[in-house]
mmCIF file of all heavy atoms in Angstrom:
data_model
loop_
_atom_site.group_PDB
_atom_site.id
_atom_site.type_symbol
_atom_site.label_atom_id
_atom_site.label_comp_id
_atom_site.label_asym_id
_atom_site.label_seq_id
_atom_site.Cartn_x
_atom_site.Cartn_y
_atom_site.Cartn_z
ATOM 1 N N ALA A 66 13.075 -35.492 -33.350
ATOM 2 C CA ALA A 66 13.005 -36.142 -34.622
ATOM 3 C C ALA A 66 13.126 -37.663 -34.420
ATOM 4 O O ALA A 66 12.364 -38.458 -35.026
ATOM 5 C CB ALA A 66 14.085 -35.620 -35.551
ATOM 6 N N LYS A 67 14.062 -38.048 -33.545
ATOM 7 C CA LYS A 67 14.259 -39.507 -33.308
ATOM 8 C C LYS A 67 12.993 -40.105 -32.641
ATOM 9 O O LYS A 67 12.588 -41.203 -32.988
ATOM 10 C CB LYS A 67 15.437 -39.716 -32.404
ATOM 11 C CG LYS A 67 16.740 -39.424 -33.109
ATOM 12 C CD LYS A 67 17.936 -39.813 -32.237
ATOM 13 C CE LYS A 67 19.196 -39.341 -32.864
ATOM 14 N NZ LYS A 67 20.342 -39.387 -31.952
ATOM 15 N N PHE A 68 12.400 -39.342 -31.712
ATOM 16 C CA PHE A 68 11.160 -39.784 -31.016
ATOM 17 C C PHE A 68 10.025 -39.955 -32.001
ATOM 18 O O PHE A 68 9.320 -40.971 -32.033
ATOM 19 C CB PHE A 68 10.794 -38.733 -29.913
ATOM 20 C CG PHE A 68 9.550 -39.103 -29.200
ATOM 21 C CD1 PHE A 68 9.556 -39.913 -28.044
ATOM 22 C CD2 PHE A 68 8.311 -38.655 -29.661
ATOM 23 C CE1 PHE A 68 8.392 -40.195 -27.375
ATOM 24 C CE2 PHE A 68 7.152 -38.950 -28.977
ATOM 25 C CZ PHE A 68 7.173 -39.705 -27.858
ATOM 26 N N LEU A 69 9.874 -39.007 -32.939
ATOM 27 C CA LEU A 69 8.797 -39.074 -33.908
ATOM 28 C C LEU A 69 8.978 -40.224 -34.855
ATOM 29 O O LEU A 69 7.995 -40.931 -35.200
ATOM 30 C CB LEU A 69 8.796 -37.756 -34.742
ATOM 31 C CG LEU A 69 8.143 -36.544 -34.050
ATOM 32 C CD1 LEU A 69 8.500 -35.264 -34.824
ATOM 33 C CD2 LEU A 69 6.656 -36.682 -33.820
ATOM 34 N N GLU A 70 10.244 -40.478 -35.243
ATOM 35 C CA GLU A 70 10.514 -41.632 -36.169
ATOM 36 C C GLU A 70 10.150 -42.952 -35.494
ATOM 37 O O GLU A 70 9.557 -43.758 -36.153
ATOM 38 C CB GLU A 70 12.073 -41.558 -36.374
ATOM 39 C CG GLU A 70 12.496 -42.235 -37.653
ATOM 40 C CD GLU A 70 13.968 -42.102 -37.777
ATOM 41 O OE1 GLU A 70 14.489 -40.906 -37.925
ATOM 42 O OE2 GLU A 70 14.683 -43.065 -37.669
ATOM 43 N N LYS A 71 10.368 -43.062 -34.159
ATOM 44 C CA LYS A 71 10.152 -44.296 -33.516
ATOM 45 C C LYS A 71 8.690 -44.452 -33.085
ATOM 46 O O LYS A 71 8.080 -45.509 -33.205
ATOM 47 C CB LYS A 71 11.035 -44.415 -32.276
ATOM 48 C CG LYS A 71 11.051 -45.729 -31.595
ATOM 49 C CD LYS A 71 12.217 -45.802 -30.576
ATOM 50 C CE LYS A 71 12.097 -47.101 -29.823
ATOM 51 N NZ LYS A 71 13.109 -47.169 -28.739
ATOM 52 N N ASN A 72 8.053 -43.353 -32.582
ATOM 53 C CA ASN A 72 6.773 -43.504 -31.938
ATOM 54 C C ASN A 72 5.653 -42.710 -32.682
ATOM 55 O O ASN A 72 4.496 -42.940 -32.396
ATOM 56 C CB ASN A 72 6.769 -42.886 -30.520
ATOM 57 C CG ASN A 72 7.937 -43.547 -29.708
ATOM 58 O OD1 ASN A 72 7.806 -44.628 -29.267
ATOM 59 N ND2 ASN A 72 8.972 -42.780 -29.497
ATOM 60 N N GLY A 73 5.989 -41.776 -33.580
ATOM 61 C CA GLY A 73 4.996 -40.877 -34.116
ATOM 62 C C GLY A 73 4.701 -39.800 -33.107
ATOM 63 O O GLY A 73 5.271 -39.765 -31.999
ATOM 64 N N PRO A 74 3.788 -38.825 -33.436
ATOM 65 C CA PRO A 74 3.497 -37.790 -32.542
ATOM 66 C C PRO A 74 2.832 -38.231 -31.232
ATOM 67 O O PRO A 74 2.167 -39.259 -31.209
ATOM 68 C CB PRO A 74 2.477 -36.922 -33.326
ATOM 69 C CG PRO A 74 2.560 -37.374 -34.736
ATOM 70 C CD PRO A 74 3.016 -38.792 -34.683
ATOM 71 N N GLY A 75 3.073 -37.476 -30.144
ATOM 72 C CA GLY A 75 2.480 -37.832 -28.889
ATOM 73 C C GLY A 75 3.191 -37.258 -27.656
ATOM 74 O O GLY A 75 4.125 -36.424 -27.870
ATOM 75 N N VAL A 76 2.788 -37.589 -26.472
ATOM 76 C CA VAL A 76 3.360 -37.021 -25.280
ATOM 77 C C VAL A 76 4.855 -37.394 -25.222
ATOM 78 O O VAL A 76 5.244 -38.613 -25.338
ATOM 79 C CB VAL A 76 2.651 -37.527 -23.983
ATOM 80 C CG1 VAL A 76 3.346 -36.966 -22.764
ATOM 81 C CG2 VAL A 76 1.202 -37.052 -23.979
ATOM 82 N N HIS A 77 5.736 -36.473 -25.079
ATOM 83 C CA HIS A 77 7.164 -36.624 -25.108
ATOM 84 C C HIS A 77 7.848 -36.536 -23.783
ATOM 85 O O HIS A 77 8.746 -37.314 -23.451
ATOM 86 C CB HIS A 77 7.760 -35.563 -26.067
ATOM 87 C CG HIS A 77 9.240 -35.629 -26.236
ATOM 88 N ND1 HIS A 77 10.087 -34.815 -25.552
ATOM 89 C CD2 HIS A 77 10.025 -36.420 -27.002
ATOM 90 C CE1 HIS A 77 11.341 -35.091 -25.887
ATOM 91 N NE2 HIS A 77 11.330 -36.078 -26.772
#
Side-chain angles (χ1 to χ4, degrees):
K67 290 185 188 168
F68 178 89
L69 285 168
E70 204 177 293
K71 190 168 174 185
N72 308 286
V76 176
H77 179 262

